[in-house]
């Protein structure tokens, strides 16, 4: 069985007006058959956060929502929590403090059960802290700012659902370019993935390649340091870092990126219904005109009439 | 005669504690022989701003400081102002509103005299607004934010001292990644140059290539969209833009970037005096060890002693 989809959400996903991302999570988890485990450990308001997601996922049609809320590594050995994860079709990790989440669950039966859920095909989703923990390497904490500076952030170990990567969130809103770049400058084998608020990278295994499709209001930013030149091993104190030749992708909704080959997957342009009708008409008309010209049957008036009609939509 | 150096300063350059950049400007302009023209037109506090730079440049040894302060296109035809520019060895454009500066001086005798000063070898420097105006294309205004969005900024025409480029300033401090990326996504032939506060890109023509050396506290960020894929021609309203495959450089003090070939110029690593002594000693010792081994004269004790000494400096 192929591994399940991952949903890497940049925090502050819309829960009220246009909750596209959370609805998509329930649908992917099986809709009316969805059994969802919510892990609120990152949050200091665990109980209340579970209530919110329970209400939302139930409203979107999930059959069952369980709270899996270890608050210590000891509790992360509880067989009842492991059972809830083993039976889940979808796992959702909330926001909060990712270092609390990772230091409580990683390397425990609960942590292992999350990895197992992913391996058997369940959806694993997480927002903010719950996004960060999905990569092999995790931003533990650090300051904002666009320019990468030595020591501006700390790396800890994540769950490793996305290998050879480091995920950051609230990316645009908290200006986290610098800290993600610092990590990539120090560890160029890691792909840097920055996710904006109310935005999701949906990662699926397609024929052995990990493809990420972007959903939501913002963008996902990728830093690829494969061929970078950096001075990270010798930069002193908190000085700005040299990072030259980083390849950079900013990906809005609909864009698909191959995380395995680190390349954009070309997409057909989206044409709305009205534009499609206009284009089809213009296309018919041009074909007719070409025929008339070939038959030496195009009068100047006929050509002028056709060219007047052949406005391509939305050019201005 | 080769064109003069350009100093592209990202705003808020240190004037009191460590005024490296402004001192460098006076030195490049001729030190005791420097005749400097200050253009404060971008600022709404023109007179006071001139007083500050006059005091500074005089303190750093300049022979003479003139104010060139047109407040209208009409005044930018004043022969006295043109004369001050024609006699200057250094021109300094202050911060403020770059659209005020460009719309008053570009295409007037004062604007032409700035270009002429550059062409005859004088130093042309500018901070903030005075940096932006130096490129062929200029950020007129626009909002902050890391993610590029359609319509988040406006482009106007600059003086064109740096061709095929667009310069932005206060880059880290005001989070201007998004707007510079938006411009590069729409115009991939332009090199995007973002300069942090108290930081300077010093641009010089070396054998026909424009080389930029970074001075100061922050970094200069380069966006190269040469091989970018973008949806800028079809992105609607204010939606986030696709910009995939932008090559990205963040350059701290000492880094040198070739703006003509769009590549980093390799630099020798800077080794401080103490490290240099340690390295030299370790190097002598290793050579001796190699000779002893070749002569089959290395006892285990001698090898151990040498390896203990052979710590490379600062590794930890």
């Amino acid at each position: 069985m192929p591994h399940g989809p991952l949903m890497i959400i940049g925090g502050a996903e819309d829960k009220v007006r246009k909750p596209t991302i959370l609805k998509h999570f329930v649908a992917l988890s099986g809709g009316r058959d969805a059994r969802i485990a919510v892990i609120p450990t990152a949050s200091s308001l665990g109980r209340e956060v579970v209530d919110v997601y329970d209400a939302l996922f139930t409203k979107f049609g999930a059959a069952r929502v369980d709270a899996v809320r270890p608050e210590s590594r000891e509790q992360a050995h509880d067989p009842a929590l492991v059972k809830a994860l083993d039976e889940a079709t979808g796992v959702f990790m909330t926001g909060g403090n990712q270092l609390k989440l990772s230091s409580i669950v990683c390397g425990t039966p609960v942590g292992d059960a999350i990895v197992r859920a992913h391996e058997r095909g369940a959806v694993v989703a997480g927002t903010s802290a719950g996004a960060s923990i999905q990569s092999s390497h995790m931003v533990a904490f650090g300051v904002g700012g666009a320019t990468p500076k030595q020591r501006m952030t700390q790396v800890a170990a994540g769950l490793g659902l996305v290998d050879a990567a480091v995920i950051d969130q609230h990316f645009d809103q908290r200006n986290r370019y610098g800290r993600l770049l610092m990590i990539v400058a120090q560890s160029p084998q890691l792909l840097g993935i920055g996710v904006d608020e109310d935005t999701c990278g949906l990662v699926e295994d397609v024929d052995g390649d990990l493809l990420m499709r972007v959903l939501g209001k913002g963008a996902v930013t990728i830093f690829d340091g494969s061929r970078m030149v950096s001075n990270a091993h010798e930069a002193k104190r908190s000085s700005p870092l040299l990072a030259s030749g980083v390849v950079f992708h900013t990906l809005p909704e609909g864009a698909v990126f191959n995380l395995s080959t680190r390349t954009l997957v070309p997409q057909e342009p989206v044409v709305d219904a009205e534009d499609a009708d206009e284009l089809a008409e213009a296309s018919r008309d041009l074909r007719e005109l070409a025929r008339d010209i070939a038959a030496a049957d195009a009068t100047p008036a006929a050509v002028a009439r056709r060219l007047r009609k052949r406005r391509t939509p939305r050019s201005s």
Side-chain angles (χ1 to χ4, degrees), chain A residues 101-112:
Chain A
L101 176 61
S102 67
S103 61
I104 287 177
V105 308
C106 290
T108 68
V110 160
D112 295 347

Side-chain angles (χ1 to χ4, degrees), chain A residues 5-146:
Chain A
L6 300 171
M7 293 181 72
I8 303 167
I9 308 165
E13 69 285 356
D14 197 332
K15 296 174 189 66
V16 182
R17 290 188 314 135
K18 219 183 146 191
T20 327
I21 295 170
L22 296 176
K23 273 187 179 167
H24 200 77
F25 167 66
V26 174
L28 275 180
S29 301
R32 300 259 150 225
D33 297 322
R35 294 187 58 159
I36 292 172
V38 175
I39 305 179
T41 301
S43 176
S44 42
L45 298 168
R47 211 172 296 263
E48 295 82 348
V49 169
V50 168
D51 288 347
V52 168
Y53 284 107
D54 188 349
L56 280 166
F57 295 151
T58 302
K59 182 175 151 198
F60 301 149
R64 184 169 152 184
V65 180
D66 292 312
V68 173
R69 190 176 165 227
E71 286 289 307
S72 66
R73 288 185 75 81
E74 184 58 36
Q75 289 175 17
H77 286 70
D78 182 345
L81 300 185
V82 172
K83 184 161 178 284
L85 288 166
D86 280 342
E87 291 172 0
T89 60
V91 175
F92 190 92
M93 297 178 283
T94 73
N97 177 333
Q98 59 260 37
L99 201 55
K100 181 183 171 205
L101 176 61
S102 67
S103 61
I104 287 177
V105 308
C106 290
T108 68
V110 160
D112 295 347
I114 300 170
V115 175
R116 208 157 52 228
H118 172 58
E119 287 172 351
R120 71 173 146 73
V123 189
V124 176
T127 185
S128 188
S132 285
I133 198 180
Q134 296 183 46
S135 48
S136 55
H137 297 70
M138 187 183 84
V139 182
F141 46 78
V143 297

Side-chain angles (χ1 to χ4, degrees), chain A residues 6-10 98 126 128-140 161-171 176 179-180 183 190-195 201 203 212 220-221 259:
Chain A
L6 300 171
M7 293 181 72
I8 303 167
I9 308 165
Q98 59 260 37
S128 188
S132 285
I133 198 180
Q134 296 183 46
S135 48
S136 55
H137 297 70
M138 187 183 84
V139 182
L161 305 178
V162 184
D163 199 26
V166 57
I167 294 169
D168 208 350
Q169 14 77 7
H170 302 281
F171 195 66
R176 288 175 164 173
R179 73 185 208 180
L180 190 59
I183 295 173
L190 301 182
L191 195 68
I193 303 174
V195 187
V203 177
M212 183 182 70
V220 175
T221 299
L259 297 174

Side-chain angles (χ1 to χ4, degrees), chain A residues 188-202:
Chain A
Q189 68 272 54
L190 301 182
L191 195 68
I193 303 174
V195 187
D196 289 353
E197 291 183 357
D198 197 17
T199 306
C200 170
L202 170 62

